Amino acid sequence: MVTRSNHSCRVVLLSASAGPLVRSPANATRVRSAFSAATPRRPSRFGAARSGKMSTGMIVLICIACCLPLVCCLGIGGALVLPAVQAAREAARRALCCNNLKQIGLALHNYSAIYDCFPPAFVPDKDGRPMHSWRVLILPYLGEQALYDQYRFDEPWDSPHNSALAALMPSIYRCPSVSPPSETTTSYVMAVGPDAFSTGPGVRQFDEFTDELSWTIAVVEMSDAGINWLEPRDWDTTSSDRPNSQHPAVFNALMADATFRSIAKDVDPDVLKAMATINDGEMIDPSEADPER
C-alpha cells in the first residue's frame, strides 16, 4: 500500500523497477539522485546575491562608502588652501600696485630732470581754479605721448573733448586690488598742502626738501575718493582725510625719492602728518609706520 507522499511513491516505483532494493552504494546513489530531482529547490533568501550577483543599490552604497572619506578630505583641504590662495593673489596685486607707484615716481623724476622741478599738482586757469592735473602732465614720461597729444590744454579737463579721453586712462593709475575696477577713476593722488610735496599750482625743486626724501610722501593711495584721473583734485594734507586702499591693513605710498612704502592704515595722525611735510625736521621712526608693528 502506498501511504507516503509522491516523493516516496517515486522512490518505491524506482525500487520496484530496479528489482529488489539492495543496500549498496550504487542503489543509495540512485535513490539520492531521484530524491533530489523530485524535491523542488527553495529560493534563497539572499536572492541574486547568493548566486554571486550584486544589486544596483548595493553597488551604489559601496561607492558612496568609498568616496565619502575622499570627498570629506577634499572639502577640508580646499577650505584650508583657499585662504592661502587668496592671500597669495592679494600679495601679487599689492606688488603690482607698488610697481605702479614706482613707475609714477620715475615719471615725476624724469619730468624734474627736464624742467628742473616737479610738476605742480594742477595747472590753474586765468582765475586760479584747477584746470589740468599732474596726471596729464606726466603722460609722456609714462610712454603715453599719443594720449597726451590728444588732450587739449586750452579747454578744461571736463570739456566734451577731454572728457572723452577719460575712458583711455592708463592702467598704471589704477590699483589692481580695487573692486570693481573703474575705467576712469584713479587710485593715486598727490600730497598737496603748504608744506607738502606740492602746493597745488606751485612747483617744488629738490633744494626745498630738507626732510629725508625716503620718508616724505609724494603720491599716495586713496581708492575711495572717486576722482576721475583727469580731474585736478588730490589729497589735501591739511584736511581730516586719510589715505586708504583695498589692501588689508596697509596703503601704499610713493616717496619723494621714487621709492615706495606700505604704511599701516592705523598709523598715528602725527606720524602721517610728519611724513606729508617736506621740511618740518621731524625724524620718522620706521616702526611707527610699519604695518607689522
Side-chain angles (χ1 to χ4, degrees):
M1 178 181 293
V2 179
T3 59
R4 298 265 180 131
S5 66
N6 291 337
H7 301 158
S8 300
C9 289
R10 293 186 65 177
V11 173
V12 171
L13 291 173
L14 178 64
S15 300
S17 64
L21 185 61
V22 179
R23 291 189 176 184
S24 67
N27 289 338
T29 300
R30 291 172 59 194
V31 171
R32 284 196 299 270
S33 300
F35 188 79
S36 299
T39 303
R41 185 175 295 176
R42 290 184 179 180
S44 171
R45 63 176 178 173
F46 296 106
R50 187 76 175 261
S51 63
K53 297 181 179 180
M54 191 175 297
S55 67
T56 302
M58 184 67 70
I59 294 174
V60 172
L61 289 175
I62 292 174
C63 290
I64 292 175
C66 293
C67 295
L68 188 59
L70 179 60
V71 172
C72 292
C73 290
L74 290 175
I76 294 173
L80 294 175
V81 170
L82 184 59
V85 172
Q86 292 175 335
R89 288 176 177 173
E90 169 53 29
R93 290 191 292 265
R94 179 172 152 187
L96 184 55
C97 175
C98 291
N99 185 66
N100 288 348
L101 289 169
K102 179 67 175 179
Q103 297 305 312
I104 292 172
L106 293 176
L108 291 173
H109 278 255
N110 286 335
Y111 181 101
S112 175
I114 299 297
Y115 296 101
D116 197 29
C117 64
F118 289 113
F122 63 85
V123 176
D125 63 12
K126 61 181 181 179
D127 297 318
R129 293 173 300 189
M131 189 174 181
H132 308 295
S133 171
W134 63 272
R135 285 177 286 270
V136 176
L137 297 180
I138 67 169
L139 283 175
Y141 309 98
L142 293 172
E144 297 287 349
Q145 183 69 50
L147 181 56
Y148 179 84
D149 290 340
Q150 295 180 62
Y151 189 87
R152 294 178 181 174
F153 284 92
D154 58 346
E155 299 178 9
W157 71 272
D158 55 354
S159 70
H161 173 83
N162 287 338
S163 293
L165 302 177
L168 302 178
M169 179 180 75
S171 60
I172 203 170
Y173 285 145
R174 180 178 58 248
C175 171
S177 289
V178 171
S179 180
S182 171
E183 297 300 322
T184 60
T185 302
T186 184
S187 304
Y188 309 116
V189 293
M190 186 174 284
V192 180
D195 300 311
F197 183 81
S198 175
T199 62
V203 296
R204 294 284 196 197
Q205 295 180 313
F206 270 108
D207 59 6
E208 296 181 65
F209 293 80
T210 58
D211 289 347
E212 187 176 352
L213 294 178
S214 63
W215 282 103
T216 301
I217 294 176
V219 176
V220 71
E221 281 191 275
M222 193 166 282
S223 60
D224 65 352
I227 299 176
N228 186 302
W229 75 280
L230 296 173
E231 183 180 0
R233 180 160 64 97
D234 291 278
W235 175 38
D236 181 358
T237 60
T238 64
S239 70
S240 60
D241 295 337
R242 290 174 61 93
N244 56 76
S245 74
Q246 293 191 17
H247 306 298
V250 303
F251 61 84
N252 293 321
L254 170 70
M255 314 313 285
D257 64 346
T259 61
F260 56 83
R261 293 186 183 275
S262 293
I263 301 172
K265 287 183 177 179
D266 61 351
V267 62
D268 185 273
D270 291 335
V271 175
L272 182 60
K273 181 180 179 181
M275 294 176 68
T277 56
I278 67 171
N279 53 9
D280 68 346
E282 186 171 346
M283 297 297 295
I284 305 296
D285 182 353
S287 65
E288 295 178 317
D290 188 356
E292 304 297 332
R293 68 185 188 282

